[in-house]
Amino acid sequence: MPRFAHRLLPCLVTLFLAAGLGTAALAQGTPQNWLTHLFQPPSTGPVPPANDARSWSGQSGASGNPLMTADAIRAAAADFGNCIERLWPEAARRGITRENFERFTAGLTPDLSIMDKLDAQPEFTKAPWDYLDLLVSDDRIAHGRALLAQYAATFAAMQRTYGVDPAIVAAIWGVESNYGALAGDRPVLRSTATLACVGRRRDYFREEFWSTLEILQHGDVPAEHLVGSWAGAFGPTQFMPTSFKRYAVDFDGDGRRDVVDSVPDVIASTANNLKMDGWISGASWGYEVVLPQNFDYLLADRSKQMTVRQWEALGVRRATGSSFPHHDERAYLLLPAGARGPAFLMLQNFRVIMKYNPAEAYALAIGHLADRMRGGGPLVQSWPRDERVLTVDERYELQQRLAQRGFNVGVPDGLLGPQTRLAIRSFQSSIGQIPDGFASSEVLDRLRQQ
Ligand code: CA
């Protein structure tokens, strides 16, 4: 399973880490779709034109990787034709005919504008509440409900076959591409060929390139419709080519697995992906909860899994006031914005959604959007909207200051992972604050004192 989410997705990573969430999530799962909605954030605006100034900046990347210097990018681009030819023998082993290989790659040139995206180092990140506001909007809820009604028969057939909640599939559809409006318009073969030959993710993208050739040769998706994000994720639910190979199904029975133009294939393939990743039929993704006074915030950690019954014994209650439907489910406690924000008990299906797109705020947006489509209300607890999310530089500074005070953060990387969170908790305890591990601006201010 490919594991390049970390470096490729600084924006999303910092988003969740800024929220005090785990990095472990980023090292697992299928990082297939986060690209589109991060670097082409879902919006209600029009789809940008296909020729929107897509040229390479000519700058070296910010990662410091030797393959991302401007000279290295130019040299790799100059060798692009030879590189493609070096990919032929493996393509042949996968049953691609020489005739098709030449046809598919004829006139292919690298899309170097992708290099800027690949190495983007955004200065700022979104707070979890801004992220949820954007993705769980009234428009997106209404659109999802309309699709659930319009394709009710298909969703019902999918649920009988795969046991996956229709609203969750609709929510993925809505978040990944704003229901197809932002599925991307870059030819997948060109994007994957570029990334297979230029830049620092060649190994990963060679596999995606070969898989794209297989899709084209088999004719599942017509070449002119095989377009997507800069990283090659395509269709309304943004399948990467390798994920397509693993999970796509032909649900309308026309002999093609068309996750771009066939709604039944899109719905069933997305559900099959979740099912194969461990979806538990009939279970929820999680519950918003309220915590009792004097709660031990050290329990709010991905590593601290307990049954709902055990959480209840600690005084944890559903925020809506209703009772938990099941008591033997195992859950962990998530505080996306620390002790001042909402709390959630997260179940197995939450982890499954994170395999689709490995970030906790993403999975929370999917789960909450699905609940809203079913008629659920907004979150009960409010977010600390006065809280300012730390910049990348401030995150480095936070780590360095923690290290200077003897708290172990590992190697400062600007990513606030489990070790840094633990260090923040220890620091918070040492100054008499609630040890929620949240990297607030107040924690940084306190570290700057003395
Ligand atoms: Ca089909």
Side-chain angles (χ1 to χ4, degrees), residues 329-396:
E329 295 174 308
R330 291 180 66 75
Y332 74 95
L333 182 63
L334 178 66
L335 304 176
R340 294 177 60 222
F344 303 89
L345 282 184
M346 296 310 194
L347 307 169
Q348 159 70 10
N349 285 344
F350 185 78
R351 293 174 177 273
V352 173
I353 299 168
M354 284 180 56
K355 291 182 186 177
Y356 203 86
N357 195 328
E360 282 168 326
Y362 169 86
L364 177 58
I366 296 293
H368 185 47
L369 178 56
D371 284 355
R372 299 294 298 277
M373 285 182 202
R374 279 188 296 261
L379 297 179
V380 173
Q381 297 156 104
S382 57
W383 294 100
R385 291 177 182 270
D386 57 324
E387 183 62 58
R388 188 176 64 76
V389 172
L390 300 186
T391 65
V392 174
D393 285 347
E394 286 174 325
R395 278 190 269 279
Y396 272 105

Side-chain angles (χ1 to χ4, degrees), residues 130-147:
D130 289 334
Y131 184 80
L132 282 185
D133 286 351
L134 182 72
L135 295 174
V136 191
S137 64
D138 288 344
D139 278 355
R140 223 170 281 236
I141 295 164
H143 196 159
R145 284 177 182 161
L147 286 176

Side-chain angles (χ1 to χ4, degrees), residues 33 36-37 42 135 140 143-152 154-155 158 165-183 234-239 259-268 270-271 274 356 362 366 369-370 373:
N33 309 325
T36 300
H37 72 86
L135 295 174
R140 223 170 281 236
H143 196 159
R145 284 177 182 161
L147 286 176
L148 286 167
Q150 183 180 353
Y151 299 107
T154 303
F155 275 112
M158 171 281 286
D165 175 4
I168 291 287
V169 173
I172 289 175
W173 193 351
V175 167
E176 289 294 346
S177 67
N178 202 1
Y179 304 108
L182 288 172
F234 60 97
T237 56
Q238 297 282 281
F239 276 94
V259 299
V260 174
D261 295 316
S262 162
V263 168
D265 289 6
V266 168
I267 290 171
T270 306
L274 295 171
Y356 203 86
Y362 169 86
I366 296 293
L369 178 56
M373 285 182 202

Side-chain angles (χ1 to χ4, degrees), residues 314-333:
L314 291 168
V316 175
R317 298 288 182 263
R318 285 187 77 179
T320 56
S322 49
S323 56
F324 292 103
H326 309 287
H327 294 85
D328 295 321
E329 295 174 308
R330 291 180 66 75
Y332 74 95
L333 182 63

Side-chain angles (χ1 to χ4, degrees), residues 249-258 262 265:
V249 294
D250 171 23
F251 205 55
D252 61 13
D254 72 348
R256 296 186 302 120
R257 302 187 291 165
D258 185 351
S262 162
D265 289 6

